[in-house]
Amino acid sequence: MHSIDRRRFLASIGLGAGALVLPGCATRPRPASTGCLAPVRVSTDRVTRTVVGLRPYRDSGFVVREERLGATRLVHNYGHGGCGITLSWGTSRLAVDMGLQGHSGPVAVIGAGAVGLATARLVQEAGFPVTLYAAALPPTTTSDIAAGKIMPSGHYRPDAVTPEWRARFAAAAEYSLRRFESLLAGDFGVRRLPTYGEHGGGPPDPDVAAFMANARLLGPEEHPFAASRIRRYDGLYVDTGRYLSRLLGEIAAGGGAVLRRSFASPAEIVGLPQGLVFNCTGLGARELFGDGALRPARGVLVELAAQPEIGHAYTMAAGYMFTRPDRIILGGSFDLDDWSMEPDPATVAAILARHGRIAAGWRCAA
Ligand SMILES: Cc1cc2nc3c(=O)[nH]c(=O)nc-3n(C[C@H](O)[C@H](O)[C@H](O)COP(=O)(O)OP(=O)(O)OC[C@H]3O[C@@H](n4cnc5c(N)ncnc54)[C@H](O)[C@@H]3O)c2cc1C
């Protein structure tokens, strides 16, 4: 495990290892005034699916930058690490504002993950015709694998970024939050869940505070977790599969052309008929544009059968859990420079063990 801002990273995705898979049953009496929550029933026989994805991670954060390739203007928008769903609208806003300045005529977007789709939609909203080219379309992108918590974490190393980048990150986070909140009312699979998380005693990190609506610290009698410092907030979550297919549908309905195509070199991009091209290829930018700073951060998710009685989420040092109507999602792992797309048994067992321990420490009856 790489040393990326370990404190913040632990708080967002969880680390550690465990050998035992513990049943998610109530083991301790609950304090009299606890608002009791149902624990997750964690066991191997309740696993319905395990998935693996490679996050496009850069120590120095996402890239939004313009360059010229002959007569073609190319605007990069990639490298979002563990929060490409979260920041997709915001960095796309930055990229589109940069690219459309002084532009006329059709526009190309390469990549159909969360970032490419948000970029294409913003280009359309600005009144330009757009063609989306991508080697893979939803539901087979990395973005479709993403857990779907809207939270800007796990995407840079604090000592590797500049004040200018931080300012752009803050602007991107603010715009993204607004866009996702505006989708709460629609059919995009965006919703809020009461979320419980460990905290160090102080206020939330400024990077993430705005994403924790109605945050407050809880007394020990107000939650069922074994950990003592717990914060509750209303977190935003998105069902990524549904969200991406709805967004792709909107782009097509808005007249956007969607073409499956893989680019092997920048020279092929120069050959496109569009004079303005957005590069939203995620981890693909490493090979396509030779960005060696872009590295895979492998993540494994374990999905369990739904438990309708669970209507909350948690993000603890040991891992995160949240529900969708049809499943429970358990994370996480974050292994830099690991290219393996196999959900290895050891990682799956470790995730189950960590969440099993959380459930076993539950302080109220099921
Ligand atoms: C297990 C896991 C959990 C995650 N959880 C969250 C979360 O809860 N919240 C969050 O915000 N983020 C999360 N992420 C991170 C998120 O998935 C990524 O940051 C995000 O998917 C990046 O989006 P993207 O559009 O840049 O890349 P992608 O989704 O990978 O899309 C890239 C697109 O570019 C295309 N492409 C690539 N190379 C080429 C080429 N040469 N020619 C043509 N097309 C090309 C691909 O085919 C694809 O269409 C998670 C990731 C993982 C793995």
Side-chain angles (χ1 to χ4, degrees):
M1 168 69 199
H2 186 264
S3 65
I4 136 183
D5 188 11
R6 195 173 172 84
R7 177 185 57 79
R8 189 161 351 147
F9 181 67
L10 282 171
S12 66
I13 57 98
L15 276 178
L20 293 172
V21 176
L22 302 169
C25 59
T27 57
R28 299 189 199 176
R30 93 187 214 196
S33 59
T34 297
C36 192
L37 304 168
V40 178
R41 286 185 279 121
V42 184
S43 61
T44 47
D45 62 346
R46 298 195 69 256
V47 174
T48 52
R49 194 170 81 127
T50 53
V51 290
V52 179
L54 304 179
R55 305 171 180 95
Y57 176 80
R58 299 176 85 255
D59 276 343
S60 52
F62 61 76
V63 175
V64 173
R65 163 176 78 76
E66 180 180 347
E67 71 174 276
R68 276 210 168 265
L69 288 178
T72 304
R73 278 176 69 212
L74 179 71
V75 179
H76 296 285
N77 182 12
Y78 69 88
H80 298 69
C83 65
I85 310 299
T86 303
L87 289 182
S88 56
W89 286 105
T91 67
S92 299
R93 175 83 275 157
L94 299 177
V96 166
D97 287 351
M98 184 181 286
L100 291 184
Q101 222 168 40
H103 178 74
S104 61
V107 175
V109 174
I110 306 178
V115 176
L117 296 182
T119 300
R121 195 71 193 107
L122 289 173
V123 168
Q124 281 186 326
E125 287 176 7
F128 292 79
V130 71
T131 301
L132 194 61
Y133 300 93
L137 296 171
T140 58
T141 69
T142 299
S143 297
D144 285 273
I145 288 166
K149 181 166 185 178
I150 302 303
M151 181 62 72
S153 56
H155 62 120
Y156 73 98
R157 212 184 64 208
D159 64 3
V161 296
T162 62
E164 293 73 27
W165 182 90
R166 276 194 166 280
R168 295 206 292 166
F169 163 40
E174 199 259 326
Y175 184 74
S176 268
L177 180 57
R178 263 196 288 138
R179 281 301 288 233
F180 278 109
E181 284 178 341
S182 77
L183 296 175
L184 275 165
D187 182 27
F188 282 81
V190 180
R191 66 211 167 96
R192 284 204 185 274
L193 282 177
T195 304
Y196 296 79
E198 278 173 298
H199 69 88
D205 185 321
D207 273 5
V208 299
F211 290 76
M212 299 178 165
N214 305 315
R216 74 180 181 90
L217 306 183
L218 300 181
E221 75 289 355
E222 293 180 282
H223 66 81
F225 294 90
S228 57
R229 292 170 180 269
I230 296 290
R231 172 184 286 120
R232 183 200 181 286
Y233 57 93
D234 295 320
L236 267 178
Y237 297 83
V238 57
D239 176 341
T240 41
R242 178 176 177 155
Y243 166 74
L244 295 167
S245 78
R246 284 280 284 113
L247 205 48
L248 188 60
E250 273 205 346
I251 291 163
V258 180
L259 302 176
R260 195 183 289 270
R261 176 167 172 186
S262 185
F263 293 84
S265 72
E268 291 182 20
I269 294 172
V270 178
L272 291 175
Q274 297 86 4
L276 172 62
V277 179
F278 290 92
N279 164 34
C280 307
T281 53
L283 194 56
R286 179 183 160 100
E287 205 177 317
L288 187 55
F289 293 100
D291 183 350
L294 188 57
R295 303 155 70 190
R298 178 177 183 267
V300 175
L301 298 177
V302 179
E303 296 181 358
L304 303 180
Q307 278 181 253
E309 70 276 20
I310 296 187
H312 66 275
Y314 63 71
T315 299
M316 311 295 282
Y320 59 80
M321 179 286 295
F322 62 89
T323 60
R324 289 190 191 153
D326 60 347
R327 72 193 81 167
I328 288 174
I329 294 175
L330 304 179
S333 62
F334 193 101
D335 298 309
L336 268 174
D337 302 322
D338 185 341
W339 290 91
S340 165
M341 288 298 288
E342 287 304 310
D344 59 295
T347 306
V348 171
I351 289 171
L352 286 169
R354 293 198 300 266
H355 288 277
R357 281 195 289 271
I358 290 172
W362 219 243
R363 295 185 301 133
C364 62

